[in-house]
Amino acid sequence: MALDAARPGKGAEGLSAYPPEETWDHVESLDPAAWPKRVRRAHRLVPTTCFNCEANCGLLAWVDKETGQITKFEGNPVHPASRGRNCAKGPATINQVEDPERILHPMKRVGERGEGLWERITWDQALDEIGTRIGNAFREERHHEVMYHVGRMGDDTYMERVLHSWGIDGHNSHTNICSSGARVGYATWMGFDRPSADFANAKVIFLISSHLEAGHYFNPHAQRIIEGQQNGATIICIDPRLSNTASKADHWFSAWPGTEAFMLLAIARLLIMDGTWDEAFFERWVNWETFLTESRPDLEPVFANVGPALLELYAEYTPEAAARICGIDEDRLRTVARIIGEGLGGFASHTWRAASAGNEGGWMVARCLQFLTVLTGSVGTVGGTNANGWNKFMPVTPLHPEPQGRWNELQWPIEYPLSHHEMSILLPHFLKAGRGYLDTYFTRVYNPLWTNPDGFTWMEVLRDTDKIGCHVALTPTWNESAWFADYVLPMGIASERHDVSSFETHNGRWIGFRQPVARRHRELEGETIERTYEANPGEVWEEQEFFIDLSWRIDPDGSLGIRSQFESIRDPGTPLTLDEYYSMLFESSVPGLPEAAEALGITPLEYMRRKGSFELAGDQTQVYERDVPAADLEGAVKDADGVWRRPGTAGSHDSLEEITGHMPFIGDGSPAVDIDGQAKLGFPTPSRKLEFFSETIRDWGWPEYSMPTFIRSQVHWEDLDMSAGERILVPTFRIPTLIHTRSANSQWLNEISHRHPLWLHPSDAEELGIEENGLVRITTRIGHFVIQAWRTEGIRPGVVAASHHMGRWRLEDDKARSWGTGKASVEQEADGRWKLRREQGVEAYESDDPDTGLIWWTDTGVHQNLTFPVQPDPVSGMHCWLQRVTVSPAEPGDAYGDVLVDTAASHRIFEEWLAKTRPGPGPDGLRRPLWFGRPVKPKATAYRYGS
Ligand code: SF4
């Protein structure tokens, strides 16, 4: 449902919520800066999409037609997900455009790495030097020494094409500090690794995250959660903090962190006991036969035995036990179980970071939450919870090269065969342990030294040219990691680049198009622009054109077979342009777009440039029930389990050599499953059903986790010595007005949010002797940090919390100061421990922007992540963010923002957690299940361990 494009109001100037779309090429309005004079200014409104979180909401950039400058950003009313609405971070994009400290030109290190000495170079020099280096690595068969490590992706498919073209298994991501836990929980149920909740139409909204202010797809989800509540849905929230979401919830459970799965299973047991579960759905779509035959061979494999067997399996998960283990109210638990049971088919649920990213076994929280979605028959229903892949639309890129035949163990080590994404946080430890070397390491909109746990270990490795030969930071802003780069190459923000993306924001499908606004404006004015940096501020570029040109420099004569992937088809022998690339993409890969464009008499590319998004037609409700036509079964053979298997696919169990070309991103290539004699699409799992019993988990070394269960975490409250000051630290929650590592470059956002308190319950404060605003020392296993207390009843006693946004620092006075970084010093003590000391907070300063002289706040927060050892979950690989800490008043000599870390201890803890794993190879000598999703998926033969 789209919001009205324009809601006319009253007034002499014909005020409306949004200028009507047909006027976007010329909108006149009064200049507020000229008030009280009535000065009219003309703008062109150019659609693009926000780059400040994953949601990719639509934006309209207002370009002053006289100056060519962007004057503001507002929502794009025709964007199907955001519908014209944004959070504060969308309009604040203008701050990033105008940031006085932004990087405007390519820079190259001239002193020692990390010394802070730079020279400005041309793009041509950067491309030549980096391209030659990578080309040499490829010619010498050192493909594993080139890595691209991405933080904020922005685009869904482009880099896969680049890396496949280069033939490297070189993709690395931030996902195992973010979401790989939840992904394993979801993927092992349904193949798809994310939920897509239809909040607006739900009867019950169940959230294990602070969705209304900071959760996944924040603004598009938040507006629909409120719609759902206004339509009568009950909101249930689990969060140790009284988040904004908890404050809006009808039922808030401040459960002990790490016990969420227990609570979910207690609800599941109540539903089954009360008979308020959707048995018909369970019988039709869940692999219950496998559950009975594998776990209860004593029972006849008939559905009538499923309910009793489930009750026996979950006999210990009583409300009484849940009340004790989780620290929640037993009656309230029964109440919500009744509400959930009354809302069958309308259970919209979500967990993403939160518990799934905090605890050892956090992936099981997602698996247990999905169990409730399944029990309530809410999978893919209106008002239920769909699979992300049925609401997110990913166009197949044109000119798709063959996948790489290589497997890089620096990202995909054999110890973690079920990790959903790369073991990113372990990279510096692997390099330290001599498990590899990086010749050329790209960080792209990624600041691992600051964002990841154990940042001083990252710093040690980033400084070490024997471990990383060349670090290329592709970044819009200075940051702690870019400081330790060899090249710092400025990349565009939301209005300065191309990207195509889509997300599962609601019951529907759409695709959004980010575009360089100034370039679009100037081209409409008749200018010819060859490269986006010609139109952007300074020489700020975009990755997509950069990688086309870089690929030419890597393979100038075409002998590596790379250049041909980046040559124009229309004009052979010249580089591919993004106009040509996106013309092909939009003409061939987005159903309905060519027809919609034709109806307007324009090309599909022009349609996307004018509107910024496209909504795909079609109903995505219960997609798994779709009939598969006989033509699609041609060549496939139905096996004993009723699954049609096609030769030459992973599900056929042919040899790896017979599986050729691209494997599906997820699933094993089976086209259908037999349901009551009909070929149905089903789910992309080996059984093509929802897998309550996961043979994959069992066969890959974790039989005790083959069914949803509770895993006791590294911060289980019963293991804590509270009398000695031990508490659970929750360092993961977001502030809705800040952007991970890039907030420091946004004036408005820092003016709104610039405090970093430690949430602490008054009863804990009293027990620990901590005053309001008093300094607190938080001691982890590898060090400590010093922060300021905020006594609040909005947190569970026994738990303390600090947002993960704050604590940015810089080493120099005059670089990257902007609006939210503190000048700091970093020193190594005699015993080898690293010490970060904040020398000053943010303060007013003179620059081209007069507003920098008006900065009135001082706090920049505390870089707590430095003190966290890596704690990768042994199954999912997800970093377990929650910390078992000792909370005490600050000691003499402690100062706010102090951080002390022992990286030798952090390496020992890395080895400790590594020892918890059950390494592959798994069945058939494989490194990983073939049907699991994987970024930049290689050829099947690369899955053979030892290949
Ligand atoms: S939720 Fe906010 S930050 Fe995220 S894309 Fe939308 S406007 Fe941007």
mmCIF file of all heavy atoms in Angstrom, residues 471-511:
data_model
loop_
_atom_site.group_PDB
_atom_site.id
_atom_site.type_symbol
_atom_site.label_atom_id
_atom_site.label_comp_id
_atom_site.label_asym_id
_atom_site.label_seq_id
_atom_site.Cartn_x
_atom_site.Cartn_y
_atom_site.Cartn_z
ATOM 1 N N HIS A 471 47.034 -2.031 2.656
ATOM 2 C CA HIS A 471 45.662 -1.842 3.142
ATOM 3 C C HIS A 471 45.062 -0.658 2.388
ATOM 4 O O HIS A 471 45.571 0.454 2.467
ATOM 5 C CB HIS A 471 45.679 -1.582 4.651
ATOM 6 C CG HIS A 471 44.345 -1.204 5.218
ATOM 7 N ND1 HIS A 471 44.207 -0.542 6.413
ATOM 8 C CD2 HIS A 471 43.075 -1.383 4.758
ATOM 9 C CE1 HIS A 471 42.921 -0.328 6.674
ATOM 10 N NE2 HIS A 471 42.221 -0.830 5.680
ATOM 11 N N VAL A 472 43.982 -0.933 1.667
ATOM 12 C CA VAL A 472 43.277 0.109 0.907
ATOM 13 C C VAL A 472 41.947 0.364 1.600
ATOM 14 O O VAL A 472 41.088 -0.528 1.645
ATOM 15 C CB VAL A 472 43.026 -0.333 -0.552
ATOM 16 C CG1 VAL A 472 42.364 0.795 -1.335
ATOM 17 C CG2 VAL A 472 44.321 -0.789 -1.213
ATOM 18 N N ALA A 473 41.779 1.552 2.161
ATOM 19 C CA ALA A 473 40.529 1.885 2.847
ATOM 20 C C ALA A 473 39.626 2.657 1.883
ATOM 21 O O ALA A 473 39.961 3.767 1.469
ATOM 22 C CB ALA A 473 40.813 2.703 4.097
ATOM 23 N N LEU A 474 38.516 2.025 1.520
ATOM 24 C CA LEU A 474 37.506 2.680 0.688
ATOM 25 C C LEU A 474 36.464 3.238 1.645
ATOM 26 O O LEU A 474 35.694 2.479 2.228
ATOM 27 C CB LEU A 474 36.852 1.672 -0.269
ATOM 28 C CG LEU A 474 37.797 0.836 -1.131
ATOM 29 C CD1 LEU A 474 37.025 -0.247 -1.886
ATOM 30 C CD2 LEU A 474 38.528 1.737 -2.122
ATOM 31 N N THR A 475 36.452 4.519 1.839
ATOM 32 C CA THR A 475 35.658 5.056 2.941
ATOM 33 C C THR A 475 35.208 6.480 2.656
ATOM 34 O O THR A 475 35.951 7.261 2.048
ATOM 35 C CB THR A 475 36.477 5.010 4.254
ATOM 36 O OG1 THR A 475 35.736 5.659 5.284
ATOM 37 C CG2 THR A 475 37.830 5.686 4.122
ATOM 38 N N PRO A 476 34.017 6.835 3.123
ATOM 39 C CA PRO A 476 33.603 8.238 2.976
ATOM 40 C C PRO A 476 34.250 9.136 4.018
ATOM 41 O O PRO A 476 34.301 10.344 3.849
ATOM 42 C CB PRO A 476 32.084 8.193 3.200
ATOM 43 C CG PRO A 476 31.720 6.782 3.457
ATOM 44 C CD PRO A 476 32.959 6.002 3.685
ATOM 45 N N THR A 477 34.721 8.545 5.128
ATOM 46 C CA THR A 477 35.174 9.358 6.257
ATOM 47 C C THR A 477 36.439 8.770 6.868
ATOM 48 O O THR A 477 36.699 7.576 6.763
ATOM 49 C CB THR A 477 34.103 9.366 7.372
ATOM 50 O OG1 THR A 477 33.840 8.019 7.755
ATOM 51 C CG2 THR A 477 32.823 10.023 6.908
ATOM 52 N N TRP A 478 37.198 9.622 7.524
ATOM 53 C CA TRP A 478 38.325 9.118 8.299
ATOM 54 C C TRP A 478 37.806 8.242 9.428
ATOM 55 O O TRP A 478 36.748 8.503 9.995
ATOM 56 C CB TRP A 478 39.118 10.278 8.913
ATOM 57 C CG TRP A 478 40.019 10.937 7.928
ATOM 58 C CD1 TRP A 478 39.823 12.151 7.342
ATOM 59 C CD2 TRP A 478 41.240 10.412 7.401
ATOM 60 N NE1 TRP A 478 40.849 12.427 6.464
ATOM 61 C CE2 TRP A 478 41.739 11.370 6.486
ATOM 62 C CE3 TRP A 478 41.963 9.233 7.593
ATOM 63 C CZ2 TRP A 478 42.919 11.185 5.782
ATOM 64 C CZ3 TRP A 478 43.129 9.037 6.895
ATOM 65 C CH2 TRP A 478 43.601 10.003 6.000
ATOM 66 N N ASN A 479 38.552 7.227 9.756
ATOM 67 C CA ASN A 479 38.168 6.411 10.909
ATOM 68 C C ASN A 479 39.419 5.742 11.479
ATOM 69 O O ASN A 479 40.513 5.853 10.901
ATOM 70 C CB ASN A 479 37.091 5.387 10.547
ATOM 71 C CG ASN A 479 37.544 4.396 9.493
ATOM 72 O OD1 ASN A 479 38.588 3.762 9.627
ATOM 73 N ND2 ASN A 479 36.760 4.249 8.434
ATOM 74 N N GLU A 480 39.252 5.057 12.576
ATOM 75 C CA GLU A 480 40.383 4.498 13.303
ATOM 76 C C GLU A 480 41.166 3.502 12.447
ATOM 77 O O GLU A 480 42.397 3.401 12.553
ATOM 78 C CB GLU A 480 39.890 3.815 14.595
ATOM 79 C CG GLU A 480 39.391 4.770 15.676
ATOM 80 C CD GLU A 480 37.983 5.289 15.450
ATOM 81 O OE1 GLU A 480 37.408 5.052 14.364
ATOM 82 O OE2 GLU A 480 37.431 5.953 16.348
ATOM 83 N N SER A 481 40.471 2.736 11.600
ATOM 84 C CA SER A 481 41.155 1.740 10.768
ATOM 85 C C SER A 481 41.825 2.386 9.565
ATOM 86 O O SER A 481 42.931 1.996 9.166
ATOM 87 C CB SER A 481 40.165 0.670 10.285
ATOM 88 O OG SER A 481 39.510 0.077 11.359
ATOM 89 N N ALA A 482 41.147 3.374 8.974
ATOM 90 C CA ALA A 482 41.725 4.052 7.812
ATOM 91 C C ALA A 482 43.060 4.699 8.170
ATOM 92 O O ALA A 482 43.936 4.860 7.320
ATOM 93 C CB ALA A 482 40.748 5.101 7.280
ATOM 94 N N TRP A 483 43.198 5.065 9.430
ATOM 95 C CA TRP A 483 44.452 5.645 9.891
ATOM 96 C C TRP A 483 45.625 4.702 9.648
ATOM 97 O O TRP A 483 46.759 5.127 9.459
ATOM 98 C CB TRP A 483 44.317 5.948 11.388
ATOM 99 C CG TRP A 483 45.303 6.920 11.897
ATOM 100 C CD1 TRP A 483 46.328 6.674 12.764
ATOM 101 C CD2 TRP A 483 45.379 8.302 11.566
ATOM 102 N NE1 TRP A 483 47.037 7.825 12.993
ATOM 103 C CE2 TRP A 483 46.473 8.844 12.262
ATOM 104 C CE3 TRP A 483 44.632 9.140 10.730
ATOM 105 C CZ2 TRP A 483 46.842 10.173 12.158
ATOM 106 C CZ3 TRP A 483 44.994 10.462 10.634
ATOM 107 C CH2 TRP A 483 46.083 10.966 11.342
ATOM 108 N N PHE A 484 45.349 3.406 9.620
ATOM 109 C CA PHE A 484 46.401 2.394 9.429
ATOM 110 C C PHE A 484 46.341 1.812 8.007
ATOM 111 O O PHE A 484 46.589 0.636 7.806
ATOM 112 C CB PHE A 484 46.270 1.293 10.482
ATOM 113 C CG PHE A 484 46.498 1.810 11.878
ATOM 114 C CD1 PHE A 484 45.431 2.182 12.672
ATOM 115 C CD2 PHE A 484 47.786 1.979 12.371
ATOM 116 C CE1 PHE A 484 45.642 2.689 13.949
ATOM 117 C CE2 PHE A 484 48.006 2.496 13.649
ATOM 118 C CZ PHE A 484 46.937 2.851 14.435
ATOM 119 N N ALA A 485 45.983 2.669 7.056
ATOM 120 C CA ALA A 485 45.915 2.236 5.655
ATOM 121 C C ALA A 485 47.125 2.759 4.885
ATOM 122 O O ALA A 485 47.865 3.629 5.353
ATOM 123 C CB ALA A 485 44.630 2.740 5.018
ATOM 124 N N ASP A 486 47.307 2.204 3.683
ATOM 125 C CA ASP A 486 48.317 2.711 2.761
ATOM 126 C C ASP A 486 47.685 3.657 1.747
ATOM 127 O O ASP A 486 48.326 4.584 1.282
ATOM 128 C CB ASP A 486 48.987 1.536 2.053
ATOM 129 C CG ASP A 486 49.654 0.611 3.041
ATOM 130 O OD1 ASP A 486 50.714 0.975 3.575
ATOM 131 O OD2 ASP A 486 49.081 -0.465 3.332
ATOM 132 N N TYR A 487 46.448 3.352 1.385
ATOM 133 C CA TYR A 487 45.678 4.244 0.516
ATOM 134 C C TYR A 487 44.336 4.501 1.203
ATOM 135 O O TYR A 487 43.710 3.553 1.699
ATOM 136 C CB TYR A 487 45.392 3.601 -0.845
ATOM 137 C CG TYR A 487 46.629 3.307 -1.666
ATOM 138 C CD1 TYR A 487 47.300 2.087 -1.533
ATOM 139 C CD2 TYR A 487 47.110 4.228 -2.593
ATOM 140 C CE1 TYR A 487 48.435 1.809 -2.283
ATOM 141 C CE2 TYR A 487 48.242 3.960 -3.349
ATOM 142 C CZ TYR A 487 48.894 2.745 -3.185
ATOM 143 O OH TYR A 487 50.013 2.476 -3.944
ATOM 144 N N VAL A 488 43.927 5.743 1.216
ATOM 145 C CA VAL A 488 42.586 6.095 1.693
ATOM 146 C C VAL A 488 41.859 6.711 0.505
ATOM 147 O O VAL A 488 42.232 7.777 0.014
ATOM 148 C CB VAL A 488 42.652 7.076 2.881
ATOM 149 C CG1 VAL A 488 41.255 7.514 3.284
ATOM 150 C CG2 VAL A 488 43.367 6.427 4.053
ATOM 151 N N LEU A 489 40.856 6.000 0.038
ATOM 152 C CA LEU A 489 40.185 6.394 -1.208
ATOM 153 C C LEU A 489 38.744 6.797 -0.892
ATOM 154 O O LEU A 489 37.969 5.979 -0.384
ATOM 155 C CB LEU A 489 40.225 5.237 -2.209
ATOM 156 C CG LEU A 489 41.633 4.697 -2.512
ATOM 157 C CD1 LEU A 489 41.560 3.579 -3.542
ATOM 158 C CD2 LEU A 489 42.572 5.806 -2.997
ATOM 159 N N PRO A 490 38.392 8.048 -1.173
ATOM 160 C CA PRO A 490 37.079 8.552 -0.752
ATOM 161 C C PRO A 490 35.949 8.005 -1.606
ATOM 162 O O PRO A 490 35.953 8.123 -2.827
ATOM 163 C CB PRO A 490 37.228 10.064 -0.937
ATOM 164 C CG PRO A 490 38.239 10.230 -2.015
ATOM 165 C CD PRO A 490 39.193 9.076 -1.883
ATOM 166 N N MET A 491 35.007 7.388 -0.943
ATOM 167 C CA MET A 491 33.849 6.809 -1.614
ATOM 168 C C MET A 491 32.585 7.550 -1.192
ATOM 169 O O MET A 491 32.492 8.064 -0.080
ATOM 170 C CB MET A 491 33.732 5.325 -1.276
ATOM 171 C CG MET A 491 34.859 4.504 -1.850
ATOM 172 S SD MET A 491 34.811 4.494 -3.662
ATOM 173 C CE MET A 491 36.487 4.022 -4.072
ATOM 174 N N GLY A 492 31.618 7.527 -2.062
ATOM 175 C CA GLY A 492 30.457 8.374 -1.896
ATOM 176 C C GLY A 492 29.490 7.905 -0.829
ATOM 177 O O GLY A 492 29.455 6.736 -0.437
ATOM 178 N N ILE A 493 28.685 8.861 -0.365
ATOM 179 C CA ILE A 493 27.593 8.554 0.550
ATOM 180 C C ILE A 493 26.303 8.428 -0.267
ATOM 181 O O ILE A 493 26.361 8.265 -1.490
ATOM 182 C CB ILE A 493 27.497 9.625 1.641
ATOM 183 C CG1 ILE A 493 27.300 10.987 0.990
ATOM 184 C CG2 ILE A 493 28.733 9.613 2.499
ATOM 185 C CD1 ILE A 493 26.969 12.076 1.968
ATOM 186 N N ALA A 494 25.165 8.539 0.385
ATOM 187 C CA ALA A 494 23.893 8.172 -0.257
ATOM 188 C C ALA A 494 23.624 8.888 -1.569
ATOM 189 O O ALA A 494 23.027 8.313 -2.481
ATOM 190 C CB ALA A 494 22.752 8.464 0.716
ATOM 191 N N SER A 495 24.065 10.111 -1.693
ATOM 192 C CA SER A 495 23.737 10.892 -2.890
ATOM 193 C C SER A 495 24.891 10.920 -3.872
ATOM 194 O O SER A 495 24.907 11.758 -4.775
ATOM 195 C CB SER A 495 23.408 12.325 -2.473
ATOM 196 O OG SER A 495 24.470 12.857 -1.696
ATOM 197 N N GLU A 496 25.839 9.996 -3.722
ATOM 198 C CA GLU A 496 27.055 10.095 -4.527
ATOM 199 C C GLU A 496 27.459 8.779 -5.175
ATOM 200 O O GLU A 496 28.621 8.603 -5.523
ATOM 201 C CB GLU A 496 28.197 10.617 -3.631
ATOM 202 C CG GLU A 496 27.916 12.003 -3.081
ATOM 203 C CD GLU A 496 28.786 12.393 -1.891
ATOM 204 O OE1 GLU A 496 29.583 11.550 -1.426
ATOM 205 O OE2 GLU A 496 28.636 13.529 -1.413
ATOM 206 N N ARG A 497 26.514 7.864 -5.325
ATOM 207 C CA ARG A 497 26.906 6.526 -5.776
ATOM 208 C C ARG A 497 25.704 5.789 -6.360
ATOM 209 O O ARG A 497 24.552 6.176 -6.152
ATOM 210 C CB ARG A 497 27.449 5.739 -4.599
ATOM 211 C CG ARG A 497 26.514 5.763 -3.396
ATOM 212 C CD ARG A 497 27.067 5.103 -2.141
ATOM 213 N NE ARG A 497 27.326 3.709 -2.371
ATOM 214 C CZ ARG A 497 28.538 3.167 -2.295
ATOM 215 N NH1 ARG A 497 29.563 3.898 -1.928
ATOM 216 N NH2 ARG A 497 28.715 1.894 -2.532
ATOM 217 N N HIS A 498 26.011 4.702 -7.071
ATOM 218 C CA HIS A 498 24.974 3.795 -7.566
ATOM 219 C C HIS A 498 24.933 2.537 -6.696
ATOM 220 O O HIS A 498 25.977 1.995 -6.338
ATOM 221 C CB HIS A 498 25.275 3.337 -8.994
ATOM 222 C CG HIS A 498 25.074 4.380 -10.036
ATOM 223 N ND1 HIS A 498 26.086 5.213 -10.440
ATOM 224 C CD2 HIS A 498 23.980 4.722 -10.772
ATOM 225 C CE1 HIS A 498 25.636 6.021 -11.390
ATOM 226 N NE2 HIS A 498 24.358 5.745 -11.608
ATOM 227 N N ASP A 499 23.734 2.083 -6.409
ATOM 228 C CA ASP A 499 23.537 0.775 -5.785
ATOM 229 C C ASP A 499 22.115 0.330 -6.087
ATOM 230 O O ASP A 499 21.212 1.161 -6.208
ATOM 231 C CB ASP A 499 23.673 0.838 -4.252
ATOM 232 C CG ASP A 499 25.092 1.109 -3.781
ATOM 233 O OD1 ASP A 499 25.977 0.307 -4.120
ATOM 234 O OD2 ASP A 499 25.310 2.116 -3.094
ATOM 235 N N VAL A 500 21.939 -0.957 -6.137
ATOM 236 C CA VAL A 500 20.590 -1.528 -6.227
ATOM 237 C C VAL A 500 20.395 -2.439 -5.025
ATOM 238 O O VAL A 500 21.258 -3.252 -4.705
ATOM 239 C CB VAL A 500 20.411 -2.330 -7.526
ATOM 240 C CG1 VAL A 500 19.178 -3.206 -7.459
ATOM 241 C CG2 VAL A 500 20.292 -1.386 -8.711
ATOM 242 N N SER A 501 19.284 -2.271 -4.357
ATOM 243 C CA SER A 501 19.050 -3.114 -3.187
ATOM 244 C C SER A 501 17.563 -3.305 -2.960
ATOM 245 O O SER A 501 16.726 -2.569 -3.500
ATOM 246 C CB SER A 501 19.682 -2.494 -1.940
ATOM 247 O OG SER A 501 19.154 -1.201 -1.754
ATOM 248 N N SER A 502 17.273 -4.313 -2.160
ATOM 249 C CA SER A 502 15.894 -4.642 -1.830
ATOM 250 C C SER A 502 15.909 -5.323 -0.470
ATOM 251 O O SER A 502 16.872 -6.028 -0.145
ATOM 252 C CB SER A 502 15.334 -5.592 -2.894
ATOM 253 O OG SER A 502 14.101 -6.124 -2.473
ATOM 254 N N PHE A 503 14.868 -5.088 0.318
ATOM 255 C CA PHE A 503 14.824 -5.748 1.612
ATOM 256 C C PHE A 503 13.416 -6.198 1.945
ATOM 257 O O PHE A 503 12.440 -5.686 1.405
ATOM 258 C CB PHE A 503 15.392 -4.835 2.711
ATOM 259 C CG PHE A 503 16.848 -4.606 2.524
ATOM 260 C CD1 PHE A 503 17.313 -3.448 1.941
ATOM 261 C CD2 PHE A 503 17.759 -5.584 2.860
ATOM 262 C CE1 PHE A 503 18.669 -3.259 1.717
ATOM 263 C CE2 PHE A 503 19.108 -5.410 2.634
ATOM 264 C CZ PHE A 503 19.569 -4.248 2.067
ATOM 265 N N GLU A 504 13.358 -7.134 2.873
ATOM 266 C CA GLU A 504 12.072 -7.731 3.250
ATOM 267 C C GLU A 504 11.429 -6.875 4.336
ATOM 268 O O GLU A 504 11.428 -7.224 5.508
ATOM 269 C CB GLU A 504 12.275 -9.183 3.693
ATOM 270 C CG GLU A 504 13.171 -9.412 4.909
ATOM 271 C CD GLU A 504 14.656 -9.357 4.629
ATOM 272 O OE1 GLU A 504 15.057 -9.010 3.513
ATOM 273 O OE2 GLU A 504 15.435 -9.654 5.550
ATOM 274 N N THR A 505 10.866 -5.760 3.913
ATOM 275 C CA THR A 505 10.348 -4.810 4.894
ATOM 276 C C THR A 505 8.878 -5.041 5.232
ATOM 277 O O THR A 505 8.397 -4.567 6.250
ATOM 278 C CB THR A 505 10.505 -3.386 4.361
ATOM 279 O OG1 THR A 505 9.935 -3.331 3.043
ATOM 280 C CG2 THR A 505 11.966 -2.970 4.305
ATOM 281 N N HIS A 506 8.147 -5.727 4.361
ATOM 282 C CA HIS A 506 6.710 -5.895 4.568
ATOM 283 C C HIS A 506 6.216 -6.966 3.591
ATOM 284 O O HIS A 506 7.018 -7.573 2.870
ATOM 285 C CB HIS A 506 5.984 -4.572 4.349
ATOM 286 C CG HIS A 506 6.106 -4.025 2.946
ATOM 287 N ND1 HIS A 506 7.274 -3.470 2.465
ATOM 288 C CD2 HIS A 506 5.211 -3.959 1.927
ATOM 289 C CE1 HIS A 506 7.088 -3.079 1.211
ATOM 290 N NE2 HIS A 506 5.857 -3.376 0.854
ATOM 291 N N ASN A 507 4.925 -7.161 3.564
ATOM 292 C CA ASN A 507 4.342 -8.170 2.679
ATOM 293 C C ASN A 507 4.292 -7.634 1.256
ATOM 294 O O ASN A 507 3.268 -7.127 0.801
ATOM 295 C CB ASN A 507 2.940 -8.534 3.178
ATOM 296 C CG ASN A 507 2.353 -9.704 2.401
ATOM 297 O OD1 ASN A 507 3.034 -10.299 1.572
ATOM 298 N ND2 ASN A 507 1.106 -10.033 2.694
ATOM 299 N N GLY A 508 5.402 -7.707 0.554
ATOM 300 C CA GLY A 508 5.504 -7.194 -0.803
ATOM 301 C C GLY A 508 6.943 -7.250 -1.248
ATOM 302 O O GLY A 508 7.825 -7.638 -0.474
ATOM 303 N N ARG A 509 7.184 -6.881 -2.506
ATOM 304 C CA ARG A 509 8.554 -6.893 -3.016
ATOM 305 C C ARG A 509 8.842 -5.592 -3.750
ATOM 306 O O ARG A 509 7.990 -5.077 -4.468
ATOM 307 C CB ARG A 509 8.772 -8.073 -3.976
ATOM 308 C CG ARG A 509 8.802 -9.415 -3.284
ATOM 309 C CD ARG A 509 9.253 -10.502 -4.237
ATOM 310 N NE ARG A 509 8.427 -10.566 -5.438
ATOM 311 C CZ ARG A 509 8.743 -11.243 -6.535
ATOM 312 N NH1 ARG A 509 9.859 -11.919 -6.588
ATOM 313 N NH2 ARG A 509 7.938 -11.265 -7.570
ATOM 314 N N TRP A 510 10.043 -5.113 -3.596
ATOM 315 C CA TRP A 510 10.432 -3.866 -4.246
ATOM 316 C C TRP A 510 11.923 -3.875 -4.505
ATOM 317 O O TRP A 510 12.665 -4.712 -3.977
ATOM 318 C CB TRP A 510 10.073 -2.653 -3.373
ATOM 319 C CG TRP A 510 10.640 -2.716 -1.980
ATOM 320 C CD1 TRP A 510 10.080 -3.316 -0.890
ATOM 321 C CD2 TRP A 510 11.906 -2.204 -1.524
ATOM 322 N NE1 TRP A 510 10.905 -3.190 0.210
ATOM 323 C CE2 TRP A 510 12.027 -2.501 -0.143
ATOM 324 C CE3 TRP A 510 12.936 -1.486 -2.152
ATOM 325 C CZ2 TRP A 510 13.136 -2.134 0.613
ATOM 326 C CZ3 TRP A 510 14.047 -1.114 -1.390
ATOM 327 C CH2 TRP A 510 14.130 -1.450 -0.022
ATOM 328 N N ILE A 511 12.325 -2.926 -5.337
ATOM 329 C CA ILE A 511 13.748 -2.743 -5.588
ATOM 330 C C ILE A 511 14.020 -1.243 -5.545
ATOM 331 O O ILE A 511 13.225 -0.445 -6.043
ATOM 332 C CB ILE A 511 14.132 -3.382 -6.941
ATOM 333 C CG1 ILE A 511 15.629 -3.347 -7.143
ATOM 334 C CG2 ILE A 511 13.407 -2.764 -8.102
ATOM 335 C CD1 ILE A 511 16.067 -4.236 -8.297
#
